[in-house]
Amino acid sequence: WFFDGGRKSLVLTGNVGMGKSTLMKATSMAIGQLYFYSLGSQRKTSMYVECAELQTIYDNDQSKFDRLKHCDILFLDDLGVEPVVVSKYGNKTNLFIELLLCRYEEKKPTIITTNLKRNDIVKNYCNSELMQARVEDRLFETYDFKVLQGNESFRIKNAKK
């Protein structure tokens, strides 16, 4: 997936406890190291953020939120736990959609983990049919969806041993 020009984004989805976040954290660390140790002009920025932190970042550190929008590769962990719409100074914003559309326009890869199913992402984050069609079109064009299979959390399996 990543070595195919590095322009394709990825969504890891599946039940709770399948290892999506663990896999993404390891991938973000490895890619971060590769990017950090690249030579000068080839050095790139990667950022990891838990979606539960998005509103706090947006409310308190607009420059960091802007860096999330524009970094070379973004890792978003646990999409679906953050508020869908946030309000700041009376302006309502859908943070995920803002990130998604900005990164789409700039052709920047994004790696996402979520427990949401593919179609639920669009339904949860879009409040109109037009927006649903627009987001769905961009999601399915630029993202590979990989489902981590399993019914029982690895944490529960380990606790039973």
Side-chain angles (χ1 to χ4, degrees):
W1 145 87
F2 182 71
F3 296 101
D4 184 26
R7 299 216 182 257
K8 195 79 166 169
S9 292
L10 179 67
V11 176
L12 297 173
T13 185
N15 292 331
V16 172
M18 296 295 104
K20 299 174 299 293
S21 294
T22 302
L23 180 59
M24 182 167 64
K25 286 176 187 173
T27 303
S28 73
M29 287 173 36
I31 290 175
Q33 290 298 315
L34 290 172
Y35 277 3
F36 180 76
Y37 288 110
S38 296
L39 298 174
S41 66
Q42 296 174 343
R43 189 168 288 159
K44 298 183 183 204
T45 57
S46 67
M47 295 181 75
Y48 170 92
V49 66
E50 293 181 14
C51 287
E53 299 172 0
L54 283 176
Q55 181 174 3
T56 301
I57 293 168
Y58 181 77
D59 287 343
N60 300 318
D61 192 348
Q62 190 63 48
S63 66
K64 183 174 182 179
F65 189 76
D66 289 341
R67 289 193 309 274
L68 292 173
K69 292 193 314 191
H70 303 291
C71 67
D72 292 305
I73 186 165
L74 176 62
F75 297 88
L76 286 175
D77 192 20
D78 217 1
L79 180 70
V81 299
E82 77 289 352
V84 173
V85 176
V86 299
S87 184
K88 186 174 182 179
Y89 305 119
N91 298 317
K92 293 185 178 185
T93 304
N94 183 319
L95 300 179
F96 171 65
I97 297 300
E98 186 173 332
L99 286 170
L100 175 88
L101 296 178
C102 179
R103 297 187 63 74
Y104 173 82
E105 292 300 322
E106 294 182 7
K107 297 178 175 46
K108 305 271 181 150
T110 306
I111 317 306
I112 300 169
T113 65
T114 185
N115 296 322
L116 298 172
K117 292 180 176 27
R118 184 177 176 152
N119 292 333
D120 291 337
I121 294 172
V122 175
K123 289 177 190 171
N124 285 6
Y125 289 92
C126 302
N127 58 4
S128 70
E129 286 185 27
L130 177 61
M131 182 58 89
Q132 283 181 359
R134 183 175 182 223
V135 169
E136 186 173 44
D137 184 59
R138 283 154 180 78
L139 264 177
F140 299 149
E141 174 192 356
T142 56
Y143 285 80
D144 283 334
F145 282 76
K146 303 294 182 190
V147 178
L148 277 66
Q149 299 291 336
N151 293 320
E152 188 175 32
S153 164
F154 74 87
R155 291 175 197 88
I156 293 172
K157 282 182 188 177
N158 289 339
K160 289 180 180 178
K161 290 182 182 179

